[in-house]
Amino acid sequence: MKILITGFDPFGGEAINPALEAVKLLPDTIGGAQIIKAEIPTVFGKSAAIVAEKIDAHQPDVVLNIGQAGGRFAISPERVAINVDDARIPDNEGNQPVDEVIQAQGQPAYFTQLPIKAMVEAMKAAGIPAAVSNTAGTFVCNHIMYQVQYMIDTQYPAIKGGFIHVPFIPQQVVDKAGQPAMSLADIAAGLEAAVSAIVEFSDKDDLKAIGGAIH
């Protein structure tokens, strides 16, 4: 089994992106699966093109993209991606699409094929705060999750895809009063536990566990 895991480059003047740095810390094999790591730019369009190249080159069984969602307390596997780019701020190359369809021929939304409930339970069992998220936003994180799902829908039906958001690390909240943070080591440990669950549940249904949200 091969799992392609990507992390975004630093965004908006940040020195590092914990998503990418945590991916770098992952071992080369998890649960017997080969882990292929890649950096992608926080840029609409270009990020998807690079992931497509990596898929063609490595033919993975799973594509897992990692990004940061500052303000979240927990590592958050995403349930769904929607077919819209609506950028509140520009990406790393100054692009700022507003109310634009990602793929004209794509579905309004795509759900992940990954066992997000099992991934959350595995992270919690490892002592890492984790929760299912039901919105990936409308910035580059949702964009890449949707684009990968579109590739799966139209070209790679055997691949499973998904996205995980990670919190700030302590260095990023020094001047952000009241913002939650998680150490890079804990983020990496959580991602490893999540990937272990992906491997374990590769041939069975996800757990039936509470993971919904009121809002």
Side-chain angles (χ1 to χ4, degrees):
M1 184 177 190
K2 292 191 288 188
I3 303 178
L4 171 63
I5 306 181
T6 75
F8 284 111
D9 63 2
F11 170 70
E14 293 280 2
I16 65 171
N17 189 326
L20 176 60
E21 298 307 315
V23 169
K24 291 178 181 178
L25 291 176
L26 293 175
D28 294 331
T29 59
I30 299 175
Q34 178 186 354
I35 306 303
I36 302 157
K37 308 169 193 178
E39 177 179 345
I40 58 175
T42 309
V43 179
F44 291 100
K46 185 178 291 186
S47 54
I50 291 175
V51 171
E53 291 174 1
K54 298 296 183 182
I55 291 173
D56 286 342
H58 298 286
Q59 297 295 306
D61 301 288
V62 174
V63 178
L64 177 62
N65 303 114
I66 313 297
Q68 184 175 62
R72 295 192 184 184
F73 289 84
I75 298 177
S76 308
E78 297 292 344
R79 191 193 300 262
V80 62
I82 60 175
N83 192 8
V84 62
D85 288 333
D86 192 6
R88 181 177 57 83
I89 53 179
D91 67 15
N92 274 351
E93 291 189 356
N95 305 299
Q96 191 175 2
V98 174
D99 295 336
E100 293 187 10
V101 171
I102 299 173
Q103 289 288 351
Q105 303 304 315
Q107 298 296 320
Y110 290 112
F111 287 91
T112 182
Q113 298 84 20
L114 300 185
I116 55 174
K117 300 289 184 70
M119 292 159 67
V120 165
E121 292 304 312
M123 287 188 278
K124 288 182 175 179
I128 307 298
V132 170
S133 171
N134 295 298
T135 174
T138 54
F139 196 52
V140 186
C141 291
N142 175 78
H143 179 88
I144 193 61
M145 182 180 178
Y146 186 90
Q147 291 277 44
V148 170
Q149 291 298 328
Y150 180 76
M151 293 179 212
I152 290 170
D153 186 35
T154 59
Q155 301 177 66
Y156 305 105
I159 291 178
K160 296 179 180 180
F163 192 97
I164 296 178
H165 268 122
V166 302
F168 283 132
I169 57 174
Q171 297 94 311
Q172 293 178 294
V173 300
V174 171
D175 296 317
K176 297 182 177 75
Q179 289 289 333
M182 183 181 293
S183 73
L184 188 59
D186 281 349
I187 292 173
L191 294 182
E192 184 172 353
V195 173
S196 294
I198 292 171
V199 176
E200 180 183 351
F201 282 78
S202 61
D203 59 354
K204 55 186 177 182
D205 293 337
D206 196 4
L207 295 177
K208 192 80 169 179
I210 294 172
I214 296 173
H215 303 291

